[in-house]
């Protein structure tokens, strides 16, 4: 579902990258959505996954105002170092996810995310929503001017992010989704960390189904 640009020309672009997610001794081939929110001069990168050259190609000559890591799983941060070195931008992560970050990243993130923090790109503000559950420091970004939520791995088309591995919790992610996300306008487009986009209105009626199935 397309996202209309803001009056100032801020638009959302997607780069799909491929690699390996590793946790708890297992590994899985995955495709990740890397989201770029920006205009012709500056851009914010959400989740530097797998392939820094592909992300940099999409960035082009624009200034990277920030690199936001929605959570610390390796498949969402494994291109951060290369991207930081290439752009000089700061990568920010919620401090509660350092337990995951430190498993795979040799250097600490340059900044910390906090609930309610605002990033500005052109004429668009993106507000950080701390939505733990998939990971303790998992965060989303809400951009009302674009009508979008960048949900990381908190909410997908079809339900919550996975909670069957270390540092995740199903009741916690349900609380995050029901209290922080499903209260957003129904027409909010949800740009997910993997797979297809959805809307808040499409997902909200299924909350009880997710509770009944337990994932």
């Amino acid at each position: 579902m397309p996202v209309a640009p803001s009056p100032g020309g801020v638009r959302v672009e997607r780069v799909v990258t491929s690699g390996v997610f590793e946790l708890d001794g297992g590994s899985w081939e995955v495709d990740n959505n890397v989201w770029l929110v920006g205009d012709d001069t500056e851009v914010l990168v959400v989740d530097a996954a797998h392939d820094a050259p592909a992300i940099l190609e999409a960035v082009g000559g624009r200034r990277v105002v920030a690199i936001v890591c929605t959570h610390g799983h390796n498949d969402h941060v494994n291109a951060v170092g290369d991207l930081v070195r290439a752009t000089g931008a700061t990568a920010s992560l919620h401090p509660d996810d350092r337990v995951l970050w430190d498993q795979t990243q040799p250097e600490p993130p340059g900044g910390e995310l906090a609930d309610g923090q605002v990033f500005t790109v052109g004429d668009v503000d993106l507000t950080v929503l701390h939505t733990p559950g998939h990971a303790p420091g998992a965060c989303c970004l809400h951009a009302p001017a674009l009508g979008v939520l960048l949900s990381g791995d908190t909410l997908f088309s079809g339900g919550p992010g996975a909670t069957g591995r270390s540092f995740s919790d199903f009741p916690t992610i349900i609380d995050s989704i029901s209290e922080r996300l499903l209260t957003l306008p129904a027409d909010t487009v949800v740009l997910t960390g993997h797979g297809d986009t959805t809307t808040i209105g499409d997902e909200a009626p299924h909350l009880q189904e997710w509770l009944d199935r337990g994932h």
Side-chain angles (χ1 to χ4, degrees):
M1 53 194 70
V3 176
S6 73
V10 173
R11 58 193 180 272
V12 181
E13 303 159 67
R14 174 166 61 177
V15 179
V16 179
T17 62
S18 301
V20 178
F21 166 49
E22 298 177 313
L23 188 65
D24 296 339
S27 62
W28 300 265
E29 296 284 342
V30 290
D31 295 330
N32 284 60
N33 294 326
V34 180
W35 298 102
L36 279 64
V37 182
D39 55 21
D40 291 338
T41 61
E42 61 183 21
V43 64
L44 180 143
V45 176
V46 181
D47 288 340
H50 306 305
D51 191 343
I55 300 168
L56 289 168
E57 182 178 0
V59 167
R62 294 177 287 180
R63 180 177 72 91
V64 177
V65 300
I67 303 163
V68 174
C69 307
T70 61
H71 61 293
H73 286 151
N74 77 294
D75 61 315
H76 287 255
V77 302
N78 54 13
V80 163
D82 288 343
L83 209 61
V84 167
R85 285 186 287 273
T87 65
T90 296
S92 295
L93 175 85
H94 194 282
D96 288 354
D97 253 25
R98 281 295 300 272
V99 64
L100 289 164
W101 173 282
D102 291 344
Q103 292 182 6
T104 63
Q105 302 305 302
E107 301 292 334
E112 293 187 349
L113 298 178
D115 188 65
Q117 180 179 357
V118 176
F119 291 89
T120 300
V121 182
D123 62 344
V124 170
D125 289 340
L126 300 101
T127 300
V128 175
L129 306 178
H130 181 211
T131 54
H134 178 69
C139 290
C140 302
L141 287 173
H142 182 217
L146 295 173
V148 303
L149 174 80
L150 297 115
S151 67
D153 283 4
T154 295
L155 179 63
F156 290 101
S157 175
T163 53
R165 303 187 181 100
S166 295
F167 310 109
S168 64
D169 183 72
F170 180 69
T172 301
I173 201 171
I174 286 294
D175 286 346
S176 293
I177 291 171
S178 60
E179 295 172 8
R180 306 303 305 277
L181 304 187
L182 299 187
T183 55
L184 299 174
D187 60 354
T188 301
V189 177
V190 181
L191 307 177
T192 62
H194 308 269
D196 297 332
T197 61
T198 183
T199 67
I200 293 296
D202 284 341
E203 300 307 316
H206 302 289
L207 177 61
Q208 188 59 51
E209 295 173 26
W210 308 335
L211 288 165
D212 291 343
R213 75 189 188 196
H215 61 86

